[in-house]
Amino acid sequence: METRIALIGIIVENPDSVEQLNHLLHEYGSHIIGRMGIPYRQRGISIISVAIDAPLDIINALTGKIGRLAGVSAKTVYSKA
C-alpha cells in the first residue's frame, strides 16, 4: 500500500487529555518517524509536531482521533512526494 509523509501539528490546551493523546501516539507508533513536544508554560499549552509515514487513511484516522480529544486540536500537512 502506498504511504505518504505528513506532519501533524497538535496543540494541547487541556492537560487532562495528555494521557489519551500519548496512548493514541503509542498505538500508531509503528508509523511515526519522530515527534517533538514544546511546553509553552506562559500560556499553559503544549505544542507537538509528529512526523509520520503511513497510508492516507491511517494518517486521517489518527488526526481525527486526536482532534476529538477534549481541549486538543490537530492539523495535518502532507508532502507532495
Side-chain angles (χ1 to χ4, degrees), residues 57-78:
D57 60 335
I58 298 288
I59 297 169
N60 290 338
L62 176 57
T63 303
K65 289 177 183 180
I66 292 170
R68 286 191 290 275
L69 297 175
V72 180
S73 55
K75 294 291 181 183
T76 305
V77 178
Y78 298 91

Side-chain angles (χ1 to χ4, degrees), residues 28-51:
Y28 286 83
S30 62
H31 301 287
I32 293 175
I33 301 166
R35 67 189 252 191
M36 177 180 63
I38 303 168
Y40 190 8
R41 290 181 182 89
Q42 293 90 335
R43 296 283 208 137
I45 64 171
S46 295
I47 303 161
I48 303 167
S49 61
V50 177

Side-chain angles (χ1 to χ4, degrees), residues 18-28:
V18 170
E19 187 175 335
Q20 293 170 302
L21 174 60
N22 283 330
H23 178 75
L24 281 173
L25 294 177
H26 178 75
E27 184 180 328
Y28 286 83

Side-chain angles (χ1 to χ4, degrees), residues 4-20:
R4 299 279 307 266
I5 298 172
L7 179 68
I8 304 172
I10 305 165
I11 296 180
V12 180
E13 297 174 337
N14 181 358
D16 294 335
S17 295
V18 170
E19 187 175 335
Q20 293 170 302

